[in-house]
Amino acid sequence: MAEMKVTPWEVEGPVDYDRLIEVFGVKPLTEDLIRLTGKYAGEVHLLLRRKVFYAHRDYDVFLKRYGDKEPVALYTGRGPSSKVHLGHLVPWIFTRWLQERLGLELYFQLTDDEKFLYHRDYTLEYTNSMAYENLLDLIALGFDPKKTFVIVDSEDIAYLYNIALRVAKKITASIVKAVFGFTDSTNIGMYFFPSLQIAMCFLPSTIRNEKVLVLIPAAIDQDPYWRVARDIASSLGYPKPAQIHSKFLPGLGPGGKMSSSRPETAIYTTDSPEAVYRKIMNAFTGGQPTAELQRKLGGNPDKCPVFTYYSMLFEPSEEKLSERYRRCKAGEILCGECKRELAERVAKFIEGHQKRRERARDRIEDFLIRTKVSIRK
Ligand code: TYM
């Protein structure tokens, strides 16, 4: 079995989420925090209830500030290296819910610079065009244009540069080597890049000219940035950013997260219904090799990406989810049937999303920071 590896650029092997809590030094999300979120939001989102968002740093501080009506905002982002897949939607769906329910501003960063620097063969034109393609997916999810500020790094750098300089001066090469695993052959653009992803944590404070605490909903792979951000925040006069971390939507193969580097095991929001069916019908499952054995021994939903898709995104009813779990374990449902039902739901969701995504083409401007905020140093 491959070793677990979780970095902002690679996730490999079976992910042990409890161990990540220890290794990254984050806290498990408690029932009390979930309850308090529900009190403010008027409902508890499925992704919280099912502990897909399962760990945090200072989420309690964020909620307290929110309750005290002190300035808070949301921050998240995307490295536009490819089309968007269903995994990316997990933190965004939750972020959108937080925006709507708590009435918060969202600052969203598209790091076309990062993906240009990281991938040897990508041109800046390609990653920049992907940024705008990916933005359509964000808009399609229903974010509020009045409260959403999107930065495209390569074009909107003036918003970030003065903050990033102050950030960069606090971070040595040995820190980024230790935190991100950079070596002597990593290009120097990558050495500077973390200061931009970190600078975004402080942009709302600069724009609003008050100390704004940001909450970052993202999968746990982005955590290394926030460790560094939190270490230097106070010395720059900013509140430490808070995080709420999600688990990964798995790929359709055995082990690993859904990732664009494995296209046959990823479902893109732009896939055709045929591609969705093909990929899901070919998925790895927690089932037995034959129908006969499956009926006798039952499947293993805990190790099955297909079941995880139901529990993370595609089965809102708790009752129906536990019934599916029970039937799988008892061998009453075969993998083919379970996959077909999932493929139907995913194809239906994607069809609706694609319509909203096309309509978003005329609305891009409404979301860009440059169309609504002037630059402050
Ligand atoms: P990127 O493009 O790798 O990922 C975008 C967001 O999607 C999450 N994610 C997943 N979540 C669930 N299941 C998966 N299989 C999955 N794969 C990716 C990531 O955690 C992330 O939240 N450097 C960043 C861009 C960025 C950013 C940020 C991300 C800039 N500022 C602030 C989060 C928060 C990147 O390349 O993300």
Side-chain angles (χ1 to χ4, degrees):
M1 202 48 114
E3 272 266 313
M4 170 170 85
K5 182 171 186 188
V6 177
T7 78
W9 299 283
E10 277 172 293
V11 175
E12 274 168 22
V15 182
D16 180 340
Y17 288 105
D18 292 335
R19 217 180 108 214
L20 281 185
I21 286 189
E22 277 168 39
V23 177
F24 287 175
V26 296
K27 289 190 183 153
L29 197 69
T30 60
E31 293 300 332
D32 280 351
L33 288 175
I34 296 177
R35 249 191 313 275
L36 190 55
T37 312
K39 184 179 140 198
Y40 292 140
E43 66 179 21
V44 174
H45 197 277
L46 177 154
L47 290 165
L48 274 183
R49 200 167 68 222
R50 296 195 183 150
K51 296 266 177 81
V52 174
F53 278 86
Y54 85 110
H56 76 104
R57 275 208 190 88
D58 281 358
Y59 184 57
D60 46 343
V61 178
F62 163 82
L63 286 178
K64 168 139 195 356
R65 272 214 177 207
Y66 177 81
D68 293 345
K69 305 210 168 6
E70 289 188 48
V72 291
L74 300 167
Y75 160 39
T76 198
R78 160 76 178 140
S81 56
S82 68
K83 298 170 286 183
V84 161
H85 59 58
L86 290 182
H88 299 128
L89 299 189
V90 170
W92 302 350
I93 287 170
F94 184 61
T95 305
R96 195 206 80 102
W97 177 80
L98 284 173
Q99 176 179 72
E100 183 189 284
R101 290 279 155 174
L102 305 184
L104 299 178
E105 285 184 348
L106 165 67
Y107 292 78
F108 191 90
Q109 182 175 36
L110 285 158
T111 56
D112 55 348
D113 51 352
E114 173 198 9
K115 296 299 157 171
F116 165 67
L117 290 165
Y118 181 74
H119 291 275
R120 178 187 287 262
D121 301 327
Y122 290 179
T123 63
L124 196 48
E125 290 71 23
Y126 168 74
T127 58
N128 181 256
S129 68
M130 273 297 144
Y132 286 96
E133 278 299 306
N134 292 180
L135 180 51
L136 299 176
D137 289 286
L138 192 80
I139 299 174
L141 292 178
F143 285 92
D144 178 353
K146 290 200 205 72
K147 293 205 168 102
T148 305
F149 303 89
V150 174
I151 284 220
V152 181
D153 274 3
S154 72
E155 294 171 85
D156 299 315
I157 192 64
Y159 288 89
L160 284 181
Y161 196 55
N162 284 11
I163 311 172
L165 284 175
R166 294 186 192 109
V167 167
K169 200 168 173 178
K170 298 270 175 200
I171 306 174
T172 61
S174 61
I175 292 176
V176 289
K177 281 182 175 175
V179 173
F180 297 103
F182 294 167
T183 65
D184 283 354
S185 46
T186 306
N187 70 57
I188 61 170
M190 285 302 290
Y191 274 79
F192 182 69
F193 171 74
S195 46
L196 292 172
Q197 184 153 332
I198 292 168
M200 274 295 281
C201 302
F202 311 131
L203 182 66
S205 296
T206 314
I207 288 177
R208 286 164 47 174
N209 206 15
E210 58 183 350
K211 293 192 179 200
V212 181
L213 183 145
V214 300
L215 172 71
I216 309 169
I220 196 162
D221 59 335
Q222 300 297 313
D223 187 71
Y225 290 103
W226 322 133
R227 294 204 285 272
V228 181
R230 289 170 57 83
D231 276 353
I232 63 176
S234 315
S235 70
L236 293 171
Y238 298 114
K240 285 181 193 230
Q243 290 84 49
I244 183 157
H245 290 313
S246 78
K247 298 177 183 170
F248 302 108
L249 188 75
L252 291 162
K257 69 159 188 165
M258 183 171 284
S259 161
S260 307
S261 53
R262 292 183 287 270
E264 267 309 300
T265 64
I267 297 173
Y268 297 100
T269 59
T270 45
D271 275 348
S272 64
E274 295 74 32
V276 169
Y277 274 86
R278 186 189 70 242
K279 289 178 185 181
I280 293 181
M281 293 317 288
N282 285 334
F284 166 86
T285 67
Q288 306 294 342
T290 64
E292 197 186 328
L293 278 175
Q294 175 85 0
R295 285 199 189 91
K296 201 161 135 202
L297 303 173
N300 186 352
D302 296 313
K303 290 231 162 81
C304 178
V306 172
F307 185 79
T308 310
Y309 286 30
Y310 283 110
S311 68
M312 281 176 81
L313 291 172
F314 293 101
E315 180 48 83
S317 150
E318 297 299 338
E319 240 184 348
K320 288 185 183 158
L321 188 72
S322 17
E323 180 58 7
R324 186 177 294 277
Y325 186 88
R326 189 198 62 74
R327 287 175 67 215
C328 171
K329 282 206 116 162
E332 290 171 22
I333 180 168
L334 299 182
C335 296
E337 186 185 338
C338 203
K339 286 179 186 176
R340 228 177 343 268
E341 279 178 38
L342 179 69
E344 269 164 34
R345 290 183 196 193
V346 175
K348 190 159 169 244
F349 165 77
I350 284 192
E351 194 192 327
H353 183 84
Q354 286 176 358
K355 285 195 187 126
R356 293 187 292 276
R357 197 177 177 279
E358 278 315 301
R359 287 200 291 273
R361 286 192 192 275
D362 299 331
R363 303 179 56 217
I364 288 180
E365 296 273 302
D366 302 346
F367 289 83
L368 298 175
I369 196 165
R370 71 185 89 116
T371 63
K372 39 195 179 185
V373 179
S374 60
I375 295 165
R376 265 177 198 253
K377 307 260 155 87

